[in-house]
Amino acid sequence: MRSHITLSTRTTLLVTFIGAIGAVPLTAQGPGGGAPWFGLSLPSGLGNPHVPVVAIPADLPLPAPLVPAAEEARPELAGVRIVADVETITGFSRASRAVGNRLWGRIAGFPSLTDTMEWVAEQFRAAGLRDVQVQTFEASAGMWWPREWEVSLSGDGRFGDGTVDLVLESAFPTGGSEIPDGAISAPLVFAGAITEAVILSGDVLRGRIAVQSVRPAGGVYSERGGTVERARALFEAGAVAVLNVVEQTGNMHVRDFGNCGGPCFNLGTADGAFLIAAIEEAARRGIEPGIAATLSLSAQTLEGLTAENAVGILEGESDEVVIVNAHADGWFDGAGDNGDGLAVLLALARHFASQDARPPRTLIFVASAGHHGSGLNGPSNFVRMNPEIGERAVLALNLEHVSQLEIRPGDWRVEATEQPMGFGISNEAPFIADTALRGMERTGFNLRPTFGSGVPGDLGGYAPLGVPRVQAIHSGPMYHTSGDVLGTISVPGLERAARFFAFFIEELANAPRAALDP
């Protein structure tokens, strides 16, 4: 039988996510004596950040892709072919970690993305695209960069014999955080969930590190506003730092949130559950001032960075241009953000280049940079550096987060389908919407049935072209976490995405311009 904790009303919310990481048993001993850290089970650490943090059944019954008879002999669109590229792409991220980057990934301004772009250009050339270039551009702003950091809890004999300092390995600084003196040591106080309107009084918060909990309904993207707003309120009330406990599953680095108003770190679920339980147990036993922590951070603003876009052209029958974009950079392994979209971009380049006939419109394939790096936006620099292409563009299509397995928050069950995606059409053209619906029926691509006009992310850089902008995208539970790994990618889903976009591009490349932009 699973044991459980009795917590104060401020932490009853914790009970709902302890099941995802295992129970945290407590002793009933007073101050001093007993097992270290009140007898709580210590969190297991970050573990191997290249494997899934959820259990993915080996026999997960994913449906096979729908393959029209006319497309059966299209090996470049096969999921097994595309996933090999996803593995290569995530390999560039792993190499970034292997050389010592604590924030690893395919990051604009760093060799990991340069190497990725050179490889993409090689794939474009091998596919038969012409005028393949790796276009380099300079940053328009500095980029905040954390080099070293640590969040450690201070051991105290009152917490049990043998209690020593404990490093919370999942800790990750939020964007813009700085500690001028390098480190802060202060007692901790649990300040509740970000959904709680009440902020603790200044007498309680002043000089302390506030701990608040964040429970994403899907991915952390949806919690940005609430998390940052409440962190700022905690700082205004006297907190010297804020720790965000992200209630998902296991222990992951979470690279999201920014400009919280002071030193701010995210914690994984297991570390956060342990921390809150320890704070509450110290309070229950009357130990003052309770649990203390030391936060250290070495961060700087990097200036003078450069990044690259990889561009290839497939000449069409007309000068009109359809731009097909996928960003190549990503935090951590970045398999679903955006290794899968980039791999499908390569599959589409191979597919259209292998056709006997030229497409009706010229296709420009762009692997863009800077989606995750300030001052290095790839699409906006592509538009600036290629005005002659922009003048001929009739549509911009973005491939982003296209084939991650659906992972259900709560019980963290992995479903036999892909994460459902929102589909945005900037001008809401009926023909484009109808084409997407026909593509869904034809391929089984998992789009939500209701489309909108929102096209967040990379397509903002293409807005100056004044053409329709279209994309499928999701922000699921692994979004911007170290849990976004190759094992969470659906291989049949890659094929569904590739076949959907191949059909979609072909239809739009043949359509009258008035149908695209009525």
Side-chain angles (χ1 to χ4, degrees):
M1 178 180 295
R2 179 179 290 161
S3 59
H4 52 273
I5 318 171
T6 300
L7 300 177
S8 73
T9 55
R10 288 188 299 146
T11 55
T12 53
L13 58 99
L14 183 64
V15 175
T16 61
F17 79 106
I18 280 182
I21 60 170
V24 186
L26 297 175
T27 68
Q29 310 227 344
W37 287 109
F38 307 118
L40 296 170
S41 298
L42 300 183
S44 58
L46 188 65
N48 182 350
H50 307 303
V51 301
V53 296
V54 291
I56 299 177
D59 59 347
L60 192 69
L62 286 166
L66 301 176
V67 182
E71 296 179 9
E72 287 181 357
R74 287 295 178 194
E76 69 277 3
L77 300 180
V80 291
R81 171 66 183 89
I82 301 170
V83 77
D85 282 343
V86 180
E87 185 170 13
T88 299
I89 292 162
T90 56
F92 291 110
S93 292
R94 293 189 185 201
S96 166
R97 182 169 184 256
V99 299
N101 290 305
R102 294 204 54 198
L103 170 50
W104 76 90
R106 306 178 302 277
I107 299 170
F110 284 75
S112 55
L113 188 64
T114 302
D115 293 345
T116 305
M117 291 302 194
E118 293 289 352
W119 175 79
V120 169
E122 290 175 9
Q123 304 311 303
F124 281 168
R125 294 186 187 100
L129 303 188
R130 71 163 183 82
D131 292 339
V132 175
Q133 298 180 37
V134 175
Q135 299 182 342
T136 301
F137 53 90
E138 297 180 354
S140 60
M143 183 169 70
W144 174 83
W145 184 257
R147 294 193 178 278
E148 294 291 338
W149 63 88
E150 186 176 88
V151 172
S152 65
L153 306 183
S154 302
D156 188 314
R158 294 177 297 170
F159 308 157
D161 293 339
T163 299
V164 296
D165 292 358
L166 177 65
V167 175
L168 301 180
E169 294 182 13
S170 68
F172 199 91
T174 65
S177 289
E178 294 183 355
I179 301 178
D181 295 329
I184 294 174
S185 296
L188 296 158
V189 59
F190 182 58
I194 65 167
T195 52
E196 294 181 20
V198 177
I199 297 293
L200 297 177
S201 70
D203 290 340
V204 177
L205 283 172
R206 193 170 294 112
R208 289 180 177 256
I209 298 168
V211 180
Q212 64 175 354
S213 59
V214 183
R215 182 179 299 168
V220 289
Y221 175 85
S222 63
E223 310 303 326
R224 285 177 177 172
T227 301
V228 171
E229 181 180 350
R230 197 167 187 275
R232 287 182 172 274
L234 293 169
F235 280 114
E236 290 173 4
V240 296
V242 173
L243 302 180
N244 303 310
V245 174
V246 183
E247 298 181 2
Q248 293 185 303
T249 187
N251 250 359
M252 297 185 287
H253 280 331
V254 178
R255 173 67 176 98
D256 219 296
F257 315 133
N259 302 312
C260 290
C264 197
F265 290 75
N266 295 330
L267 295 178
T269 305
D271 281 347
F274 170 84
L275 176 60
I276 296 174
I279 291 171
E280 292 294 330
E281 184 63 10
R284 188 180 70 82
R285 299 186 188 196
I287 300 174
E288 291 293 341
I291 309 295
T294 297
L295 318 181
S296 63
L297 173 63
S298 172
Q300 66 183 109
T301 298
L302 301 178
E303 304 284 356
L305 296 177
T306 60
E308 307 85 12
N309 294 324
V311 182
I313 299 174
L314 181 61
E315 200 72 59
E317 294 294 334
S318 80
D319 287 340
E320 290 187 334
V321 164
V322 173
I323 297 169
V324 186
N325 180 90
H327 76 78
D329 56 325
W331 303 121
F332 311 118
D333 282 13
D337 183 13
N338 185 39
D340 57 357
L342 179 59
V344 170
L345 180 84
L346 295 175
L348 294 170
R350 296 181 186 116
H351 169 73
F352 284 104
S354 69
Q355 304 291 313
D356 293 332
R358 294 163 67 178
R361 290 187 170 102
T362 294
L363 302 180
I364 309 289
F365 294 92
V366 182
S368 61
H371 183 82
H372 296 281
S374 58
L376 290 166
N377 184 268
S380 61
N381 278 283
F382 171 80
V383 171
R384 177 183 61 81
M385 297 172 72
N386 302 277
E388 73 289 351
I389 292 176
E391 291 170 359
R392 297 186 284 123
V394 298
L395 183 130
L397 171 66
N398 185 46
L399 314 179
E400 192 163 352
H401 317 174
V402 297
S403 185
Q404 195 157 65
L405 290 165
E406 183 175 8
I407 301 168
R408 292 292 185 100
D411 59 8
W412 298 98
R413 184 175 72 252
V414 179
E415 300 285 1
T417 184
E418 291 80 49
Q419 187 77 27
M421 287 159 281
F423 198 71
I425 306 168
S426 64
N427 67 346
E428 298 186 282
F431 174 80
I432 297 177
D434 178 69
T435 303
L437 290 170
R438 289 188 289 122
M440 289 172 62
E441 183 177 357
R442 195 171 191 268
T443 64
F445 191 48
N446 195 16
L447 296 178
R448 295 189 182 96
T450 302
F451 303 160
S453 60
V455 286
D458 265 20
L459 284 176
Y462 291 108
L465 299 180
V467 300
R469 292 165 290 141
V470 184
Q471 71 180 3
I473 193 171
H474 73 82
S475 57
M478 299 298 108
Y479 177 80
H480 287 188
T481 75
S482 57
D484 181 9
V485 298
L486 181 65
T488 66
I489 299 301
S490 164
V491 177
L494 289 169
E495 184 164 338
R496 274 187 273 278
R499 292 187 181 278
F500 170 85
F501 283 114
F503 168 79
F504 188 74
I505 292 169
E506 185 171 352
E507 291 292 295
L508 270 56
N510 278 283
R513 188 161 186 173
L516 302 180
D517 198 6

